[in-house]
Structures are given as C-alpha cells and as structure tokens.
Amino acid sequence: MIADIASQYQYARTTPSTNLDGRPGRRLPGPGLRRYVQIRDRTCTAPGCRRPATQSEQDHIHDHQYGGATTSTNLGPGCKYDHRLKHEGGWTVTQPRPGRFIWTSPLGRRYHTRGERITDPPPF
Ligand SMILES: [Zn+2]
C-alpha cells in the first residue's frame, strides 16, 4: 500500500496536471471533475442530507441551461430528492467558495453547508 501511495505521489509530481475545469461548456463533467467534486464534498450538499456524493447527481449551482459552467466552482453533489427540491421546490443554492454552499428555503431561511472532513486534523 505504501508503494502504491508513493507511486501515485511520484506520478502526480511528474505528470502535468490535467485541467479539470478545462471544458466549462460541456453539459456533464468528465470523470476526473466528477470524482474531484465527490471527494471534496463527500455527500449531497443539502442541509442535513447524508446521501453519499457517489450516489448523487452533479448539480450545476448556476444552471447549465442558463449559462452555468461545468466547473468545480459551479458543481456540487445533489441527491435526486434535493436536486429536484432546488429546481422545483423554490429553494436556491449558491456556492460562495468552492465546496461551501448556502441553501435558501422558499421562506428565506439560509443554511450553510460543506463537506465533512475525512478525518480530524492532527493534534499538533
Ligand atoms: Zn440530498
């Protein structure tokens, strides 16, 4: 396992990075961008929802049909229920910083959400 991590690290250091946000006009994110957003956000971004990002849809915060880009700063995982809630239920979502979301209910109440840490930071 250590050798595998070391080889991935070496690969990342020596291989020119691919630009995940390099094709903002396409409708769906490529596998690299999709995986990046899944790892960054971990779960559906709706308040209180624990649906894993891997089982959620990729939601364009600013809708693609209205010019929203397919980039990491405009995508977030949304489970089918919450994705629909946003489009048909009167909720709005913004992403003021990558991975930070503000859901606003139809009555104007705001909920700040973000992905959970994979682990707590070390104690030092
Ligand atoms: Zn959800």
Side-chain angles (χ1 to χ4, degrees):
M1 182 169 167
I2 300 285
D4 184 46
I5 293 171
S7 68
Q8 289 181 36
Y9 178 74
Q10 185 63 24
Y11 176 81
R13 285 193 56 203
T14 58
T15 305
S17 64
T18 55
N19 184 358
L20 295 176
D21 293 336
R23 297 178 60 196
R26 65 183 171 185
R27 173 74 180 90
L28 299 173
L33 177 57
R34 177 181 296 112
R35 188 70 181 131
Y36 172 79
V37 172
Q38 290 170 342
I39 291 169
R40 181 191 69 191
D41 299 328
R42 319 266 313 139
T43 63
C44 168
T45 65
C49 187
R50 306 273 304 152
R51 186 86 170 169
T54 54
Q55 298 174 16
S56 297
E57 300 168 343
Q58 291 287 318
D59 178 27
H60 287 81
I61 304 305
H62 178 66
D63 288 348
H64 186 265
Q65 65 178 330
Y66 299 118
T70 302
T71 60
S72 60
T73 56
N74 192 43
L75 288 173
C79 71
K80 282 188 182 223
Y81 176 82
D82 291 317
H83 196 174
R84 189 171 176 178
L85 198 64
K86 176 190 155 196
H87 286 286
E88 299 174 10
W91 287 71
T92 58
V93 182
T94 58
Q95 186 176 191
R97 292 174 27 203
R100 306 288 177 103
F101 301 88
I102 301 173
W103 283 70
T104 305
S105 77
L107 297 177
R109 177 149 180 129
R110 295 163 54 118
Y111 300 88
H112 294 251
T113 66
R114 63 181 288 196
E116 291 185 18
R117 294 185 186 132
I118 295 173
T119 182
D120 289 331
F124 48 89

